[in-house]
Structure formats: C-alpha cells, structure tokens
Amino acid sequence: MKILDGKQIAGEIRAELRARAEAFESKYGKKAGLAVLLIGDDPASAIYVRNKTRDCEEAGIRSFSYTLPADATQEEAEALIDELAADENVHGILVQLPLPAHLREDRLLAHIPYEKDVDGFSAYNIGSLALGSPAAVACTPKGVMRLLARYGISVSGKRAVVIGRSKIVGRPMAMLLLNADATVTVCHSKTKGLAEICREADILVAAVGKANFVTAEMVKEGAVVIDVGINRVDGKLCGDVDLASVKEKASFLTPVPGGIGPMTVAMLLENTLEAAERQMS
Ligand code: GUN
C-alpha cells in the first residue's frame, strides 16, 4: 500500500501558486483577495477559517476575515455579503459552513456573485459542473482529483463509488469523476447493500463523517481509497476509514490528517487566484 501524501503535494501546489500570485500582483498592482466569513462560534470552523487565512497570506493572497455572532440575523449576514460582492479588492467570498440553524443557507449563498464563488456552491457553478464545462469547483473534490492526477492514477473507465451525497463533497465529487469518464455510484444513508457496492470500487471515496466507517470487508483488493472524513476521537483526528484493516487491501490510501485536508486549502487558493484573474481580464 502506498500513501497519497496530500500534505507534500499541497505544499508543492502552494509554492506554484505563490509565483502565480506574485505575477498577478505585478500585472494588476494589487493582490488577489479572499474574504472569509465565519458566523457563530463552532470551534472546528474557527480552526478551518484560521488555516485558510494563514495559507492565503503565505501564498501572497490578501485575506479579509469577518466574524458575525451566532445570533446574527439573515439581513445582517446578507448585507455584509452584498458589501463584499461590491468590493473590487475582494475576488473571492467564502462563507464557512455549517451556519447557525436559524440562518437560511441557500438564500445567504445566493448573495455571492458566481464569479466570486470560490467554493463552487452556487447554482450556476454546480450547473456548469453538471454540464461538464469548466467552472469554479468545490475545493475538496477538486483536491481529490488533483491528488489522483499528481500520482498518475487514471480514472477513465474505472468503477468509482462515493459514500456521501453532500453539496460540499459527495455530489460534486461524483460529477467530477463522471466528467473524468469513471462509472460512478453514489451511496448514502438509505443505500441498501452498501458493503457489496463498495467492494466493486476501483476508486472508493469516503465522505461520511463517521470514524472507522469503511472497513476491509468493504474494499476490493488493490482499490484506491480516498478518505475525506475529519473526525475527532478522544481528541485525535481520524478519517472515515479503518486504517488498520484497510491498509492490507488498498493499493493507495490517503491519510488523515495530511491527505485531503491540505489539498482542500490549496484548491481554495487556486480557485481564488483563478477568480481574480478572470475578474481582471
Ligand atoms: N465547511 C466544511 N468544508 C467547507 C468548505 O469546503 N467550504 C465551506 N465554505 N465551508 C466548509
């Protein structure tokens, strides 16, 4: 079994993006800018947001950090997004999810113009992805595809199984794999015969959010196993895959931490630069 080292590849990509960010700055006389909005006090979200702003600065992208309290109203949040949408120094807007329960996520995200939607969550960007045409693509699934590509793992003609159907990972992941000519099955909480379906996968993507969910009996000999889960067990980070048993069967495996997580942030930086370049050209 080989480890797919997302941390190392993400570091290489960030170095490439730094050069691209410098080129942007010297061409346009200002930095590419990303606004990150955190609403409420979810501790995991606070850590993700801090990492995103830190990595932006390191890559030569200007970051604008905003926090609203957990009881912020829909109108307050929308007004802030409208302001950022009109700001010429802000090329990308990211609203960290999940939102506090009283806020309407769909309505809030609709205030992000699709040109600044660096998460690829807008209806326009998801529609473009579904049609197979280039668009801003959600960072985590984009990071999965990039990691596979960097390791020379081909997707075309392969059987791919995605466990999870979220807007952030499962759905865009399935569409990207389909666009790359895989035969794709999406499994979820109501799927019957999950283990049997997973055992057919040449490429198995776990995006469930449950520690040790994927066990060796769900994995075909020689499969590529991508672990998108970030779970905390006894204070320790772990993914959705039961590493101890699955490592005996998989040909390639992504670790947690150090696998897909760093790739997600690298793709966010890339999406921001691409958005900035499109807006300036
Ligand atoms: N929460 C967990 N992952 C993500 C992500 O990729 N983007 C946003 N906006 N929120 C998230």
Side-chain angles (χ1 to χ4, degrees):
M1 190 272 300
K2 264 187 87 170
I3 289 284
L4 297 172
D5 191 342
K7 191 173 173 194
Q8 188 196 322
I9 303 290
E12 291 168 19
I13 294 171
R14 287 207 309 273
E16 292 158 20
L17 292 174
R18 207 173 303 132
R20 192 165 163 184
E22 278 166 20
F24 181 94
E25 189 176 358
S26 46
K27 185 167 178 189
Y28 299 112
K30 65 175 175 185
K31 284 187 154 94
L34 173 69
V36 179
L37 172 55
L38 173 64
I39 309 176
D41 36 30
D42 179 64
S45 288
I47 294 171
Y48 296 150
V49 163
R50 208 174 325 130
N51 290 345
K52 285 169 186 178
T53 43
R54 179 201 60 203
D55 287 354
C56 268
E57 297 293 340
E58 269 176 29
I61 294 170
R62 191 172 169 196
S63 74
F64 303 84
S65 204
Y66 293 88
T67 14
L68 288 178
D71 61 356
T73 65
Q74 186 81 26
E75 291 70 29
E76 282 166 342
E78 288 176 2
L80 176 52
I81 295 174
D82 290 342
E83 226 175 89
L84 297 170
D87 187 334
E88 286 184 355
N89 291 317
V90 171
H91 303 99
I93 302 171
L94 181 146
V95 177
Q96 186 66 25
L97 303 177
L99 295 173
H102 68 282
L103 294 176
R104 285 280 308 265
E105 181 181 304
D106 52 349
R107 287 200 193 161
L108 199 62
L109 296 184
H111 279 253
I112 302 174
Y114 75 87
E115 303 92 339
K116 298 193 178 187
D117 167 33
V118 285
D119 261 326
F121 293 164
S122 68
Y124 176 85
N125 280 325
I126 292 179
S128 304
L129 178 62
L131 294 171
S133 57
V137 176
C139 305
T140 300
K142 189 181 183 187
V144 171
M145 298 305 285
R146 186 65 56 83
L147 192 61
L148 293 173
R150 288 262 178 156
Y151 275 89
I153 297 169
S154 69
V155 173
S156 177
K158 299 274 176 69
R159 283 209 155 233
V161 173
V162 179
I163 318 174
R165 54 175 159 175
S166 71
K167 178 179 67 185
I168 295 179
V169 184
R171 283 166 204 251
M173 186 77 254
M175 289 197 276
L176 281 172
L177 288 162
L178 183 62
N179 291 350
D181 298 325
T183 301
V184 183
T185 305
V186 181
C187 296
H188 47 79
S189 54
K190 302 284 191 295
T191 297
K192 295 194 169 64
L194 179 80
E196 199 181 328
I197 296 168
C198 292
R199 268 200 304 277
E200 291 196 356
D202 302 308
I203 299 171
L204 180 62
V205 181
V208 190
K210 287 188 183 152
N212 297 324
F213 185 87
V214 175
T215 55
E217 58 157 26
M218 296 162 71
V219 176
K220 181 161 97 174
E221 196 74 46
V224 176
V225 179
I226 305 291
D227 191 348
V228 181
I230 300 186
N231 308 295
R232 217 167 267 276
V233 176
D234 300 329
K236 223 179 125 215
L237 274 191
C238 64
D240 291 343
V241 174
D242 175 35
L243 197 69
S245 69
V246 170
K247 74 176 192 308
E248 306 298 333
K249 283 183 125 178
S251 60
F252 291 94
L253 191 56
T254 64
V256 178
I260 299 306
M263 293 299 294
T264 296
V265 185
M267 292 302 100
L268 171 65
L269 303 179
E270 183 175 278
N271 282 356
T272 302
L273 269 171
E274 284 177 356
E277 286 165 358
R278 272 197 299 269
Q279 284 161 57
M280 298 303 286
S281 66

